[in-house]
Amino acid sequence: MKISFCTTCMDRLYHLKQTYPRNIQNSSSHSDFEFVLLDYGSKDGLESWAGDELHSHISDGRVVFCRMETPPDNFVSSHAKNIAHKVASGDILCNLDSDILIPEGFCEYLESIFSVKPRTIVAFDSEDPYGNHGCAGIVATTRENFYSVNGYDESIRMGWGY
C-alpha cells in the first residue's frame, strides 16, 4: 500500500524546517510512500527552501511539491487539504500538519491498521500510539474513504485549528 503524507503550509516554514526532512527520513524503511507539500501562498521563502533542501527528494519522487497559482489571502484548512489530497497518489492518504514529527515505523503502523480495517479513519487527539504529544494534525484514511465523503468539508472556514 502506498502512503501519501499530505502537508499544507502557509507561512509555517519554521515548522517544516524542524519536521519535514526528519519525517522523510523516518519513513525510509517503508517501500512505498510520498510526501505531498502544498505551498498555499507562503511569503516566508517556502518555495525556495523546498527547491534547495528537498531537491533530491523531489527528483526521486519521494516529495511532490505544488504551489497555488493564485495564493489566497487567508489560510482555509479544508480547501488546502483537499488540494493536497487530490495531488496525492497513495492508497492511504494521511494529513500531516507542518509541525508534526512522525516516528520511525509510522508507515508500517498505518499499513497494519488499513490492511485489517480498510474502512477506518485514524485520527490522533493529543498523543500518538508511541506517546508523542501534539499529534492532533494527523488524520489518515484510505483514498476510497476520503472520496466517498468528498474530502474535507469546505464550508467549514475556520483557518487553523480543529
Side-chain angles (χ1 to χ4, degrees):
M1 286 183 180
K2 183 174 186 176
I3 301 171
S4 295
F5 292 102
C6 303
T7 302
T8 61
C9 190
M10 184 179 202
D11 298 326
R12 293 182 68 189
L13 177 57
Y14 61 97
H15 277 138
L16 284 179
K17 287 179 177 180
Q18 298 171 21
T19 61
Y20 219 69
R22 286 182 60 198
N23 285 338
I24 296 167
Q25 181 181 355
N26 287 350
S27 301
S28 63
S29 64
H30 194 267
S31 62
D32 204 6
F33 69 91
E34 70 180 354
F35 282 79
V36 175
L37 178 57
L38 172 66
D39 180 344
Y40 197 70
S42 289
K43 297 172 186 74
D44 59 0
L46 173 59
E47 184 175 23
S48 177
W49 177 83
D52 293 341
E53 297 298 319
L54 302 176
H55 176 75
S56 65
H57 298 298
I58 292 169
S59 294
D60 70 14
R62 291 293 188 189
V63 172
V64 178
F65 180 80
C66 48
R67 180 170 170 74
M68 295 288 292
E69 287 291 324
T70 307
D73 293 328
N74 300 304
F75 185 75
V76 180
S77 178
S78 56
H79 181 248
K81 290 176 183 182
N82 280 337
I83 292 170
H85 284 61
K86 199 171 279 189
V87 171
S89 64
D91 305 300
I92 298 170
L93 305 178
C94 182
N95 179 73
L96 192 63
D97 284 356
S98 299
D99 59 345
I100 299 295
L101 183 61
I102 58 173
E104 289 182 32
F106 192 71
C107 290
E108 291 81 2
Y109 170 77
L110 286 178
E111 191 173 63
S112 71
I113 290 173
F114 290 109
S115 64
V116 176
K117 296 182 177 182
R119 302 284 301 167
T120 300
I121 295 174
V122 175
F124 299 107
D125 184 11
S126 62
E127 189 175 293
D128 73 11
Y130 302 96
N132 298 309
H133 295 281
C135 296
I138 300 175
V139 178
T141 193
T142 61
R143 169 179 292 287
E144 180 183 351
N145 270 355
F146 184 78
Y147 286 107
S148 74
V149 296
N150 298 315
Y152 290 94
D153 183 351
E154 292 189 24
S155 69
I156 300 172
R157 303 182 72 80
M158 297 173 57
W160 289 20
Y162 63 94

